[in-house]
Amino acid sequence: MKKLMNGVDTILRESLTGFCAAHADLVTMGEDGKFVRRAALKQGKPALISGGGSGHEPLHAGFVGHGMLDAACPGEVFTSPTPDQMLAAAEAVETGGGVLYIVKNYEGDVMNFEMAAEMASGDVMTVLTNDDVAVEDSLFTTGRRGVAGTVVVEKIVGAAAEAGADLASLKALGDRVNAATRSMGVALTSCTVPAAGKPTFDIGDDEIEMGVGIHGEPGRKRVPHKPADAIVADMMDAILGDFDASGGPALLFVNGFGGTPAMELYLVYNAARARLEKDGYSVARSLVGDYVTSLEMQGCSITVTRLDDEMAGYWDAPVHTAALRAGM
Amino acid sequence: MKKLMNGVDTILRESLTGFCAAHADLVTMGEDGKFVRRAALKQGKPALISGGGSGHEPLHAGFVGHGMLDAACPGEVFTSPTPDQMLAAAEAVETGGGVLYIVKNYEGDVMNFEMAAEMASGDVMTVLTNDDVAVEDSLFTTGRRGVAGTVVVEKIVGAAAEAGADLASLKALGDRVNAATRSMGVALTSCTVPAAGKPTFDIGDDEIEMGVGIHGEPGRKRVPHKPADAIVADMMDAILGDFDASGGPALLFVNGFGGTPAMELYLVYNAARARLEKDGYSVARSLVGDYVTSLEMQGCSITVTRLDDEMAGYWDAPVHTAALRAGM
């Protein structure tokens, strides 16, 4: 294993310290590194808190700031944060509007966020994301996995919170965005968890994993590597075939898993966009880049959100975080 | 070779098409894909044009837009664009203020940009970047190589152009920023050029290449892999030892080569920052992420610019490009 690190016990803390120092205008580290929070809070606004295992950066700490999250709780690599972390984050950033947890659907995360919600004194609601169409149940999940669509939920709900929406409205909006969002991923290579020291899975030089999870969990099937157009066609079949309706304005989000050149991501975007237009969608908004990664895994996911006017408006609203910035 | 592509002859064009579609609010493709240009030009402003081999994305097309470049000319992967491309770009975006070429110091690029300058009818000046302290001459270079510091030059000169500086002032500023900037890289793995189909260099599971170039060119030496703190110490020794003076405000820029997890980049940033502070610098500005890549290579470079007030002011000025955005 070759990584830029000093030791498996310190990699997360050293990285978070660097992150908070590099973005000190936006974020500060919470006590004992339990969470990363906004440097400045807005009184009375419902607090948006997310979190999950580390190794998916910039998710979630990269989305803390105006227009998105108030705090993010980083677990160890690919390991849920603890209820203690979520509770500490909630206590630090709740300013009278209650707390909305945004949780990716993995058993550990769901259980720990639920426990934190039960321990909380104030109002807490939760949006659970499960946008991955690849598999119904998985290594760490009952039901579908929450993957890159989580960023779309965080952006749109974050903008609504900034605009003054109350806790119940944010919960409803988050559920609606999640329901309008589908994703699927493909892996060309594995990733290596620092504490494991070896690749999470073995894959041949001529194989790809269709429907891979963001922890390297198995997807739908292992198939021979093939041209990007054919890979994208399979992914878009799965994504678009899962919607109840088709056509209309869509957000097209091509997400790199960490080890994929930008050149390839834009090529995938180009193919996915052509397919959407052929199927009667208009690509109304776009996002291309590394937003929900799996360490250094090569591959990408495609996310499509069927946008309504409210969602599109919130997508366009100003945001100022380490990983996403617009309009300010 | 596993890449998300359809063929080596089409990868660049399909990717550029996707890029221009995803960022149609900012850029448009020039005739025959010879260049990427701003969607809207500012009359009378000197035109800033850069370019170079592809495979370093987001450099350079990702920096086309308000506050940075007016056009970027993409060559084939790791291959200089042709004079024809630069000339076409200049004709498309020159609006009365002359043309400033920003060129990384590689023989092919230097020759082709010079040829384009000679063929041009209007005023043309060139800023040559050569911030890489690793080696004096290299596989493709006489003198030092231009690497990630080029982004710093493009940002600061771009802001000055937006603020109304004339061509000669921009040339002088660009030279001054380059002279205040030093970089050095390290590779953990090789990259694979699509047309070659195999890794550019072989490297053992326990080796790293100190001072690697952004095309995978050899650096200073191949050494056994070691803790990040020791790697960063070597890089910072080389960078800081090369300045004529020390201390004062600095921009610290940790650049990923394409295949490096963000977690590791922030850890490197943390170590480099500590070293700067120990040596009497203040880290006045920071940038961390994939900005000048080598396809999917794992590793990173560190860039330090000794900032004066003028440079810092321009660094903070609004910018709106695909890869860098602030204040608008």
Side-chain angles (χ1 to χ4, degrees):
Chain A
M1 172 177 62
K2 277 195 285 190
K3 291 183 182 288
L4 295 164
M5 59 187 273
N6 294 304
V8 294
D9 295 336
T10 58
I11 181 171
L12 179 57
R13 188 58 175 267
E14 290 174 79
S15 179
L16 274 179
T17 303
F19 177 83
C20 291
H23 304 289
D25 55 329
L26 295 175
V27 298
T28 54
M29 176 118 65
E31 54 156 332
D32 291 333
K34 286 180 186 167
F35 55 92
V36 172
R37 54 159 281 186
R38 282 197 205 188
L41 301 174
K42 190 169 177 176
Q43 292 303 310
K45 185 184 83 65
L48 269 55
I49 300 175
S50 192
S54 293
H56 304 302
E57 290 69 29
L59 189 80
H60 295 274
F63 303 121
V64 172
H66 181 93
M68 287 185 82
L69 302 176
D70 292 279
C73 305
E76 291 296 318
V77 173
F78 294 175
T79 303
S80 173
T82 59
D84 179 46
Q85 292 180 259
M86 297 138 193
L87 204 59
E91 281 168 7
V93 301
E94 208 276 337
T95 60
V99 170
L100 186 72
Y101 286 140
I102 300 175
V103 184
K104 302 192 298 301
N105 188 32
Y106 297 96
E107 283 169 11
D109 296 77
V110 171
M111 186 179 72
N112 288 341
F113 271 101
E114 267 177 14
M115 209 175 295
E118 283 164 16
M119 290 156 74
S121 51
D123 288 341
V124 179
M125 298 186 119
T126 299
V127 172
L128 196 67
T129 64
N130 60 351
D131 51 306
D132 189 346
V133 302
V135 290
E136 284 306 319
D137 296 307
S138 180
L139 212 50
F140 310 119
T141 331
T142 303
R144 290 180 168 184
R145 302 174 295 212
V147 291
T150 310
V151 175
V152 183
V153 172
E154 292 180 357
K155 171 67 182 82
I156 290 175
V157 172
E162 222 67 60
D166 65 16
L167 184 60
S169 307
L170 295 175
K171 152 76 177 158
L173 177 63
D175 286 344
R176 196 153 60 80
V177 175
N178 178 63
T181 299
R182 301 286 186 282
S183 300
M184 186 154 150
V186 61
L188 277 59
T189 65
S190 179
C191 50
T192 297
V193 174
K198 60 184 179 54
T200 302
F201 59 95
D202 293 317
I203 186 163
D205 283 345
D206 53 358
E207 289 179 322
I208 59 176
E209 179 76 29
M210 292 297 298
V212 71
I214 57 173
H215 312 89
E217 312 97 290
R220 289 190 171 187
K221 54 183 176 182
R222 189 71 60 91
V223 300
H225 186 40
K226 52 189 175 181
D229 283 352
I231 295 171
V232 171
D234 287 352
M235 294 165 83
M236 294 301 279
D237 284 348
I239 289 167
L240 300 182
D242 199 74
F243 282 122
D244 294 332
S246 91
L251 163 69
L252 173 56
F253 170 22
V254 174
N255 171 61
F257 281 148
T260 317
M263 181 182 284
E264 297 177 37
L265 297 182
Y266 280 108
L267 187 149
V268 166
Y269 171 87
N270 191 48
R273 182 183 176 105
R275 167 62 183 271
L276 278 172
E277 289 172 346
K278 181 168 159 284
D279 280 19
Y281 291 85
S282 65
V283 179
R285 301 292 185 277
S286 301
L287 187 66
V288 182
D290 285 3
Y291 292 98
V292 180
T293 62
S294 305
L295 297 165
E296 68 286 331
M297 191 158 82
Q298 286 184 36
C300 70
S301 59
I302 299 175
T303 296
V304 175
T305 299
R306 301 189 68 226
L307 292 172
D308 60 28
D309 288 347
E310 186 186 20
M311 294 180 204
Y314 286 137
W315 181 261
D316 294 340
V319 60
H320 189 178
T321 67
L324 204 57
R325 185 157 179 189
M328 63 187 296
Chain B
M1 171 178 60
K2 276 195 286 191
K3 290 183 183 288
L4 294 164
M5 59 187 274
N6 294 304
V8 294
D9 295 336
T10 57
I11 182 170
L12 179 57
R13 188 58 175 267
E14 290 173 79
S15 178
L16 274 179
T17 304
F19 178 82
C20 291
H23 304 289
D25 55 327
L26 296 175
V27 298
T28 55
M29 177 117 66
E31 54 157 334
D32 291 334
K34 285 180 185 167
F35 56 91
V36 172
R37 54 159 282 188
R38 282 196 205 189
L41 301 173
K42 190 169 179 177
Q43 293 302 311
K45 184 185 82 66
L48 269 55
I49 300 175
S50 192
S54 293
H56 304 302
E57 290 69 27
L59 190 80
H60 294 277
F63 303 121
V64 172
H66 181 93
M68 287 186 82
L69 302 176
D70 292 279
C73 305
E76 291 297 318
V77 173
F78 295 175
T79 303
S80 173
T82 59
D84 179 45
Q85 291 179 259
M86 298 139 192
L87 204 59
E91 280 167 8
V93 302
E94 207 278 337
T95 61
V99 170
L100 186 72
Y101 286 139
I102 299 175
V103 184
K104 301 191 298 301
N105 188 32
Y106 298 97
E107 283 170 11
D109 296 77
V110 171
M111 187 179 71
N112 288 341
F113 271 101
E114 267 177 13
M115 209 176 295
E118 284 164 15
M119 290 156 74
S121 51
D123 288 342
V124 178
M125 298 185 119
T126 298
V127 172
L128 196 67
T129 63
N130 61 351
D131 51 306
D132 189 346
V133 302
V135 291
E136 283 305 320
D137 297 308
S138 180
L139 211 52
F140 310 119
T141 330
T142 304
R144 289 180 170 187
R145 304 175 294 213
V147 291
T150 310
V151 175
V152 183
V153 172
E154 292 180 358
K155 171 68 182 83
I156 290 175
V157 172
E162 222 66 59
D166 64 16
L167 185 59
S169 307
L170 295 175
K171 153 77 176 157
L173 178 62
D175 286 344
R176 196 153 60 80
V177 175
N178 178 64
T181 299
R182 301 287 187 282
S183 300
M184 185 153 150
V186 61
L188 277 59
T189 65
S190 179
C191 50
T192 297
V193 175
K198 59 185 180 55
T200 301
F201 60 94
D202 292 318
I203 186 162
D205 283 346
D206 53 359
E207 290 179 321
I208 59 175
E209 178 76 29
M210 291 298 298
V212 71
I214 58 172
H215 311 89
E217 313 97 290
R220 288 191 171 186
K221 55 184 174 180
R222 188 72 58 92
V223 301
H225 186 41
K226 52 189 175 182
D229 282 353
I231 295 172
V232 171
D234 287 352
M235 294 166 83
M236 295 301 281
D237 284 348
I239 289 168
L240 300 182
D242 199 74
F243 282 121
D244 295 332
S246 91
L251 164 69
L252 173 57
F253 170 21
V254 174
N255 171 62
F257 281 149
T260 317
M263 181 182 284
E264 296 176 38
L265 297 182
Y266 280 108
L267 187 148
V268 166
Y269 170 88
N270 190 49
R273 183 183 175 105
R275 169 61 183 270
L276 278 172
E277 290 172 345
K278 182 169 157 286
D279 280 20
Y281 290 85
S282 64
V283 179
R285 302 291 185 278
S286 301
L287 186 66
V288 182
D290 286 4
Y291 292 99
V292 180
T293 62
S294 306
L295 296 165
E296 69 287 330
M297 191 157 84
Q298 285 184 37
C300 70
S301 59
I302 299 174
T303 295
V304 175
T305 299
R306 302 188 69 224
L307 292 172
D308 60 28
D309 288 346
E310 186 186 21
M311 294 181 204
Y314 286 136
W315 181 261
D316 294 339
V319 61
H320 189 178
T321 67
L324 204 57
R325 186 157 178 189
M328 63 187 297

